[in-house]
């Protein structure tokens, strides 16, 4: 039944306008307002992130939002050093961890996994960039 159904991911934020600014301006993604209910319903609007060819992610408001303690969205990049530098210049702050150990820029590097760096959106959700 569901194997042929269209599916899409989504996650919550506590402030849709702030999320729109972060995802659209800070991260430079294509962001569109997205109605979450049927026309005429008293349902707040969210956002749609348009990523790559045909990938859509719904961002919806949740006033009592509690950020997940895990990564909710990963972005693949060709050059993690350049991506970290560019995002840092745009005001993104990368997380620093002892486990897994990150370097001064917030990049985790070991031979066993692709280099990865984590950061948070304004709602506290954890995102990452991963070097392919």
């Amino acid at each position: 039944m569901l194997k042929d159904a269209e599916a899409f991911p989504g996650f919550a934020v506590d402030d849709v306008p702030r999320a729109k600014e972060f995802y659209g301006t800070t991260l430079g993604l294509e962001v569109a307002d997205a109605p979450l209910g049927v026309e005429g319903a008293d349902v707040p609007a969210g956002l749609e992130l348009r990523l790559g060819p045909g990938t859509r992610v719904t961002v919806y408001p949740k006033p009592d939002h509690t950020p997940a303690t895990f990564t909710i969205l990963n972005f693949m990049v060709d050059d993690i050093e350049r991506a970290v530098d560019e995002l840092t210049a745009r005001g993104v702050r990368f997380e620093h961890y002892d486990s897994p150990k990150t370097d001064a820029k917030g990049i985790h590097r070991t031979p066993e996994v692709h280099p990865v760096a984590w950061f948070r959106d304004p709602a506290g959700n954890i995102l990452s960039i991963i070097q392919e």
Side-chain angles (χ1 to χ4, degrees):
M1 176 176 133
L2 295 180
K3 74 179 185 95
D4 295 321
E6 184 177 328
F8 61 92
F11 59 87
V13 297
D14 56 357
D15 185 328
V16 171
R18 205 165 84 177
K20 185 175 186 178
E21 174 72 17
F22 178 78
Y23 286 99
T25 302
T26 304
L27 298 187
L29 303 178
E30 183 180 347
V31 178
D33 294 323
L36 300 175
V38 296
E39 190 174 331
D42 186 22
V43 177
L47 301 172
E48 182 179 84
L49 307 180
R50 297 174 178 168
L51 312 169
T55 302
R56 305 282 194 252
V57 177
T58 298
V59 178
Y60 56 91
K62 187 170 188 288
D64 61 345
H65 168 68
T66 301
T69 58
F70 50 86
T71 308
I72 63 157
L73 191 58
N74 302 285
F75 297 93
M76 300 303 290
V77 297
D78 292 329
D79 183 340
I80 198 163
E81 292 278 342
R82 188 179 74 218
V84 166
D85 290 345
E86 287 177 9
L87 289 171
T88 299
R90 291 174 172 231
V92 172
R93 287 192 249 179
F94 285 86
E95 298 292 302
H96 293 272
Y97 300 116
D98 289 328
S99 180
K101 182 71 177 154
T102 54
D103 65 16
K105 287 188 173 186
I107 302 171
H108 171 63
R109 304 169 197 267
T110 64
E112 298 84 18
V113 298
H114 295 281
V116 58
W118 295 272
F119 60 100
R120 294 179 185 266
D121 74 0
N125 295 312
I126 301 170
L127 314 171
S128 81
I129 54 174
I130 302 170
Q131 183 170 302
E132 295 187 73

